[in-house]
């Protein structure tokens, strides 16, 4: 809100004493309060909210650290003038700007074309020229270097760590599977949760990862009774929608009369839901179970439904048709789970069972607070208050226009919530914020130091990066992500009854590896890992850019080193590094040698060394590592 003429001047953290008790107005405390503004009455209440003020540099950087994969100085300056809500509006208005699958295929085609130019007599096609999964990483990095829809990419990364599929699977060398799945997340990031779980369910990468591809109706093979695979039925409830226990809208667990948690589902629910996810196979399959002609592109097309299993028509084509065994592909009959029953229907209409099951899950009261908490944990804080979860879950339940599951409204509510924007929250809650996960630190550095080149093409396979920090998109070690949302590290968080999910990735070895990685990226100035995409390819140095800090050399002078540190404290750490820690870093830099020419220009080698050490020390400071 700009320059509203208020009938009364109110402070953001205003306190007044009434009948011996202290009442606090502001910081989101607006219950029962109305504010009139002569210039814009509907926005008057924002005076008591952080969103009612244009952000200063630290507030801008802090917001961008939650809403993007790392602030850029130009963005920090831009939001100071544009405002947070206006920036969100512009981001939500953008369509997905980058298609990973297309980029992978174009890279693949360039490999084919180049090999043909080297050897015109060779038979090179997309089908017989191998392309590895690192092509997805190149595409992902390229997208994040050139895309302007920065919020979408931040949210899709969070979604990829909630709706987990991973290359540690049967499609470990298939970049098309990874790219297609991530494109799907990007497309749905600001859509509706119901559409998202439909797209996830029908994506081959998820079907292969959680083993329900070619899932078959209950059958008897010889003397053995075979039941549908239960993997996806379990995980879609536990990890993607409702969790293990019933919860209130504010995320707190409901209790039974004995004070015990109430399970959301049991083994019967899993078994019956598993029957729903039967009859799905590749889009090009002739029959359920047909794995012939499966290729990289098979993972990019929506699954096809088969009500019956007619496989013997194709596998025993030479036999008398009367001997073919034609059995159910999809499980017949009614199916009861989560206290609701999907009615029996003709097998030909069995795909409607999937529709009904997803509707039942979508409308379960746990979904709003479950998804709200997961997204808040990824974007803002590991330990959101029940009030924060409740406010966001309420938006999930109804976006204000009667729609349930509006993820755009949910993301907006999270990022504009008083608890996310409140400058005082970190002072009042020691468990506020979260440990920056390793990959976010890397992208924070890439964006904060302004990695760029002339061509606009970046080739980063991120293989060494993963070896060092054990994290990059779609490389989770299990369906439970790189870390579990309820992980409790020992120490103060455990004593306070709080969680620290990202701490599951932190130990003495992982932090040593992180510091070694920082040395490579910053001190050795080697932030990008370039690989040739075919044997004998001409090296394109511009596609492997370095960090250029020559413009900052003038700040290497003793009397300006604080100015340099303040700049990168703002960009990388949102200005949060404590003065005592900044003094330690400053003293280290001042102890490093520096010389000047006759014009007072710092020696470039010594200036470069001094400044890079400053950025390195900022990136390992505890105040940086915990993003509040």
């Amino acid at each position: 809100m700009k320059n509203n003429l208020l009938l009364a001047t109110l402070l953001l953290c205003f306190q007044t004493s009434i009948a011996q008790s202290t009442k606090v107005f502001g910081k989101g405390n607006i219950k029962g309060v109305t504010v009139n503004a002569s210039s814009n009455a509907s926005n008057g209440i924002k005076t008591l909210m952080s969103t009612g003020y244009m952000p200063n540099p630290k507030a801008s950087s802090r917001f961008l650290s939650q809403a993007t994969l790392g602030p850029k100085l130009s963005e920090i300056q831009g939001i100071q003038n544009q405002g947070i809500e206006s920036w969100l509006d512009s981001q939500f208005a953008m369509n997905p700007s980058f298609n990973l699958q297309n980029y992978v295929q174009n890279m693949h085609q360039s490999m084919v074309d180049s090999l043909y130019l080297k050897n015109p007599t060779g038979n090179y096609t997309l089908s017989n020229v191998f392309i590895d999964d690192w092509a997805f990483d190149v595409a992902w990095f390229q997208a994040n270097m050139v895309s302007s829809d920065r919020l979408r990419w931040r949210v899709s990364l969070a979604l990829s760590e909630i709706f987990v599929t991973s290359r540690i699977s049967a499609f470990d060398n298939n970049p098309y599977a990874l790219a297609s799945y991530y494109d799907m997340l990007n497309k749905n990031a600001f859509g509706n949760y119901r559409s998202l779980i439909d797209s996830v369910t029908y994506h081959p990468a998820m079907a292969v990862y959680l083993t329900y591809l070619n899932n078959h109706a209950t059958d008897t093979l010889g003397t053995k009774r075979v039941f549908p695979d239960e993997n996806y039925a379990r995980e879609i409830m536990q990890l993607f929608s409702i969790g293990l226990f019933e919860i209130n809208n504010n995320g707190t667990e409901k209790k039974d009369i004995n004070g015990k948690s109430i399970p959301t589902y049991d083994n019967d629910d899993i078994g019956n839901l598993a029957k729903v996810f039967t009859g799905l196979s590749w889009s090009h399959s002739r029959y359920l179970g047909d794995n012939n002609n499966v290729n990289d592109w098979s993972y990019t097309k929506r699954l096809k439904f088969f009500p019956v299993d007619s496989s013997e028509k194709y596998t025993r084509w030479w036999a008398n048709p009367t001997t073919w065994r034609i059995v159910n592909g999809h499980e017949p009959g009614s199916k009861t789970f989560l206290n609701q029953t999907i009615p029996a229907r003709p097998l030909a209409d069995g795909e409607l069972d999937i529709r009904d099951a997803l509707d039942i899950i979508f409308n379960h009261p746990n979904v709003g607070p479950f998804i709200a908490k997961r997204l808040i944990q990824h974007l803002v804080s590991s330990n959101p208050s029940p009030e924060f979860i409740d406010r966001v879950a309420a938006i999930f339940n109804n976006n204000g226009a009667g729609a349930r599951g509006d993820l755009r409204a949910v993301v907006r509510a999270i990022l504009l919530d008083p608890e996310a924007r409140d400058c005082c929250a970190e002072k009042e809650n020691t468990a506020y914020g979260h440990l920056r996960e390793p990959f976010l630190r890397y992208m924070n550095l890439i964006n904060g130091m302004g990695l760029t080149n002339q061509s606009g093409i970046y080739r980063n396979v991120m293989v060494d990066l993963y070896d060092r920090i054990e994290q990059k998109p779609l490389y989770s070690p299990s369906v439970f992500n790189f870390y579990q949302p309820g992980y409790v590290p020992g120490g103060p968080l455990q004593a306070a009854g709080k969680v620290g999910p990202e701490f599951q990735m932190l130990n003495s070895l992982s932090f040593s590896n992180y510091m070694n990685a920082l040395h490579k990226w910053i001190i050795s100035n080697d932030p990008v890992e370039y690989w040739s995409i075919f044997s004998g390819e001409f090296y394109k140095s511009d596609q492997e850019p370095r960090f250029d800090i020559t413009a900052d050399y003038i700040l290497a002078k003793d009397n300006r080193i604080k100015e340099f540190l303040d700049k990168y404290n703002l960009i990388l750490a949102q200005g949060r590094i404590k003065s005592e820690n900044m003094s330690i870093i400053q003293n280290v830099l001042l102890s490093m040698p520096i010389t000047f020419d006759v014009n007072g220009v710092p020696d470039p080698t010594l200036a470069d060394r001094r400044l890079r050490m400053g950025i390195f020390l900022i990136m390992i400071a505890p105040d940086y590592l915990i993003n509040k």
Side-chain angles (χ1 to χ4, degrees), residues 468-469 512-522 526:
R468 292 174 183 271
I469 66 172
S512 295
N513 289 339
Y514 167 65
M515 289 194 292
N516 289 334
L518 278 179
H519 188 281
K520 176 178 183 288
W521 302 334
I522 302 171
D526 189 14

Side-chain angles (χ1 to χ4, degrees), residues 513-628:
N513 289 339
Y514 167 65
M515 289 194 292
N516 289 334
L518 278 179
H519 188 281
K520 176 178 183 288
W521 302 334
I522 302 171
I523 307 299
S524 299
N525 199 13
D526 189 14
V528 169
E529 186 178 7
Y530 177 104
W531 281 11
S532 297
I533 60 175
F534 61 91
S535 178
E537 182 194 12
F538 180 75
Y539 172 63
K540 303 176 179 65
S541 60
D542 190 54
Q543 294 184 20
E544 189 180 19
R546 314 286 179 169
F547 291 129
D548 182 1
I549 59 171
T550 53
D552 289 325
Y553 284 176
I554 193 66
L555 303 180
K557 294 181 176 181
D558 287 357
N559 64 345
R560 300 196 67 183
I561 200 68
K562 185 180 184 302
E563 185 180 342
F564 169 80
L565 291 175
D566 286 344
K567 172 183 175 180
Y568 283 95
N569 182 20
L570 171 67
I571 298 171
L572 297 172
Q574 292 67 65
R576 289 196 56 261
I577 297 182
K578 296 181 178 67
S579 57
E580 54 265 36
N581 290 337
M582 288 292 284
S583 294
I584 293 171
I585 296 173
Q586 182 172 336
N587 290 336
V588 169
L589 302 193
L590 292 176
S591 71
M592 298 176 68
I594 189 78
T595 60
F596 305 90
D597 65 14
V598 294
N599 297 314
V601 177
D603 176 88
T605 300
L606 297 177
D608 190 80
R609 187 178 303 163
R610 177 181 269 201
L611 298 184
R612 289 180 185 277
M613 178 56 68
I615 295 171
F616 175 91
L617 293 173
I618 286 173
M619 293 287 289
I620 65 171
D623 311 331
Y624 163 76
L625 294 169
I626 304 297
N627 187 27
K628 289 193 172 186

Side-chain angles (χ1 to χ4, degrees), residues 156-316:
S156 61
L157 182 65
L159 293 175
S160 76
E161 296 187 6
I162 299 171
F163 299 87
V164 174
T165 190
S166 172
R167 70 189 83 185
I168 303 178
S169 63
F171 50 89
D172 59 341
N173 292 319
N174 185 349
Y176 287 96
L178 304 172
S180 174
Y181 188 79
Y182 214 98
D183 282 337
M184 178 273 294
L185 295 179
N186 258 335
K187 177 182 177 182
N188 285 281
F190 302 149
N192 192 280
Y193 173 85
R194 176 61 180 82
S195 298
L196 173 61
I197 59 172
D198 178 86
S199 297
V200 167
T201 299
Y202 277 91
H203 200 284
M206 182 59 75
V208 170
Y209 188 59
L210 290 183
T211 60
Y212 62 97
L213 182 79
N214 294 321
N215 202 11
H216 202 283
T218 305
D219 197 8
T220 301
L221 298 177
T223 60
K224 186 178 180 181
R225 191 75 165 159
V226 180
F227 297 94
D229 186 287
E230 297 180 349
N231 204 6
Y232 186 63
R234 180 183 302 103
E235 307 308 355
I236 191 176
M237 291 191 290
Q238 178 183 346
L239 302 177
F240 301 167
S241 61
I242 62 176
L244 292 172
F245 300 105
E246 292 186 14
I247 53 179
N248 296 300
N249 203 60
N250 65 5
T252 58
E253 285 188 6
K254 295 180 179 179
K255 304 294 182 180
D256 63 17
I257 57 174
N258 297 314
K260 294 183 178 180
S261 300
I262 305 169
T264 49
Y265 60 87
D266 58 22
N267 286 335
D268 289 339
D269 292 311
I270 295 171
N272 282 315
L273 182 55
K275 295 174 182 177
V276 170
F277 299 118
T278 51
L280 294 173
S281 190
W282 305 105
S283 65
H284 55 71
S285 293
R286 297 166 299 165
Y287 56 86
L288 186 64
D290 182 7
N291 289 312
N292 294 309
N293 302 314
V294 173
N295 56 37
D296 287 353
W297 295 272
S298 301
Y299 284 84
T300 68
K301 298 178 175 64
R302 187 177 172 90
L303 298 176
K304 185 164 70 173
F305 178 75
F306 289 86
V308 298
D309 176 4
S310 59
S311 57
E312 291 201 358
K313 177 180 177 181
Y314 299 92
T315 60
R316 298 181 65 245

Side-chain angles (χ1 to χ4, degrees), residues 315-514:
T315 60
R316 298 181 65 245
W317 55 268
W318 41 266
N320 187 324
T322 61
T323 68
W324 290 341
R325 186 173 181 267
I326 307 297
V327 295
N328 295 329
H330 181 70
E331 186 81 20
S334 62
K335 303 163 184 73
T336 299
F337 79 107
L338 299 181
N339 298 317
Q340 297 195 54
T341 298
I342 298 172
R345 48 175 50 108
L347 277 180
D349 298 330
E351 197 166 11
L352 295 177
D353 290 355
I354 300 175
R355 180 203 65 184
D356 290 350
L358 296 181
D359 283 343
I360 290 170
I361 292 171
F362 173 59
N363 288 295
H364 192 284
N366 266 32
V367 177
F370 181 91
I371 292 298
K373 183 175 181 180
R374 291 294 179 269
L375 286 173
I376 293 169
Q377 285 183 308
H378 279 279
L379 301 179
V380 177
S381 178
S382 298
N383 294 283
S385 70
E387 294 77 15
F388 191 179
I389 296 172
D390 188 50
R391 289 189 292 266
V392 176
I395 295 297
F396 182 97
N397 298 336
N398 185 336
N399 66 353
R404 176 178 175 81
D406 181 351
L407 294 177
R408 175 181 301 196
V410 167
V411 171
R412 185 182 185 88
I414 290 171
L415 293 173
L416 292 181
D417 191 88
E419 197 166 315
R421 300 276 55 82
D422 180 16
C423 60
C424 308
E426 62 182 83
K427 299 176 183 177
E428 298 172 0
N429 182 357
T430 56
Y432 186 80
H434 56 169
L435 176 69
R436 297 181 206 254
E437 53 195 277
F439 187 73
L440 280 181
R441 297 176 218 158
Y442 173 70
M443 291 306 299
N444 192 185
L445 182 69
I446 293 294
N447 286 297
M449 290 190 67
L451 186 71
T452 188
N453 63 20
Q454 291 298 314
S455 69
I457 300 174
Y458 303 82
R459 191 182 302 183
N460 188 3
V461 299
M462 297 195 285
V463 172
D464 179 75
L465 177 143
Y466 179 80
D467 290 341
R468 292 174 183 271
I469 66 172
E470 297 183 318
Q471 191 182 27
K472 64 179 176 179
L474 302 188
Y475 215 144
S476 170
S478 77
V479 71
F480 296 100
N481 191 30
F482 300 96
Y483 50 84
Q484 298 189 42
Y487 178 76
V488 180
L493 286 177
Q494 184 180 38
K498 303 296 184 179
V499 301
E502 295 86 353
F503 279 91
Q504 194 168 3
M505 299 187 70
L506 181 66
N507 54 53
S508 57
L509 178 60
S510 68
F511 194 72
S512 295
N513 289 339
Y514 167 65

